Amino acid sequence: MFDKENAATERDVSGGWMDAGDQNKYVNFVNDVLPHLFYAYTHYPQAFTDDTNIPESGNGVADVIDEADWELQYLLKMQDDDGGVFIKSGSDDWNDPSPPSTDVRPRYYGAKCTSSTISFAAMVAEASVVYGTIPALQDRVDSLSAAAVAAWDHFHAQ
């Protein structure tokens, strides 16, 4: 965000959920959401179907997991090569258009920090466990586990 004119720092920060109060996306805030979705799915899988009319419906994966995966794919983009995780991405102004789907402003990412890195490690590790129980997602378990370990190692190296 502070070096936004430097093309060498460009990265894809697309996807993911916007915050309820603005159209920025925060890694730490999701730590209060994904674990609850994974808990609910793990303990009450019969409550979740694959037919809620989202684009991924009908793919053999409960739509709540598809929705969590949308966010998880964004989170993975927020991890740097050294395992650290950038805290947020967003625009550099507060002129949020409505509806949010019309927002075409450039997005920038903030610095890596301890809280985003450790939150990421926990969420991605839990996702790897849950994905291991879903046949269609088991091929992603190793990469999720590796991302979680890289974040954990980065956290401990600081």
Side-chain angles (χ1 to χ4, degrees):
M1 186 167 277
F2 303 105
D3 198 15
K4 63 186 175 188
E5 302 304 322
N6 180 354
T9 64
E10 186 175 320
R11 69 185 306 116
D12 177 6
V13 293
S14 62
W17 301 328
M18 294 178 184
D19 185 56
D22 58 51
Q23 291 175 10
N24 294 320
K25 303 170 193 177
Y26 303 88
V27 172
N28 293 349
F29 293 177
V30 184
N31 198 36
D32 289 335
V33 179
L34 283 181
H36 293 288
L37 291 177
F38 290 141
Y39 177 91
Y41 173 78
T42 300
H43 289 82
Y44 306 100
Q46 68 282 2
F48 300 100
T49 64
D50 186 26
D51 61 357
T52 60
N53 201 28
I54 64 171
E56 299 83 5
S57 289
N59 67 353
V61 175
D63 287 347
V64 69
I65 297 299
D66 287 325
E67 188 62 32
D69 192 60
W70 170 255
E71 179 64 14
L72 188 65
Q73 292 307 309
Y74 164 75
L75 292 175
L76 291 166
K77 293 175 184 178
M78 294 298 286
Q79 186 173 38
D80 201 7
D81 293 338
D82 66 2
V85 178
F86 301 104
I87 192 165
K88 71 175 258 187
S89 65
S91 63
D92 61 356
D93 65 59
W94 293 98
N95 299 317
D96 293 344
S98 182
S101 60
T102 64
D103 190 351
V104 295
R105 296 173 293 174
R107 298 271 173 185
Y108 305 100
Y109 57 94
K112 292 178 277 188
C113 73
T114 301
S115 62
S116 57
T117 299
I118 199 66
S119 292
F120 172 94
M123 291 183 287
V124 174
E126 185 173 13
S128 72
V129 171
V130 173
Y131 282 26
T133 68
I134 303 168
L137 299 175
Q138 288 176 349
D139 63 332
R140 298 195 28 220
V141 169
D142 290 343
S143 63
L144 291 170
S145 295
V149 168
W152 183 255
D153 290 345
H154 184 273
F155 166 72
H156 281 284
Q158 299 304 306

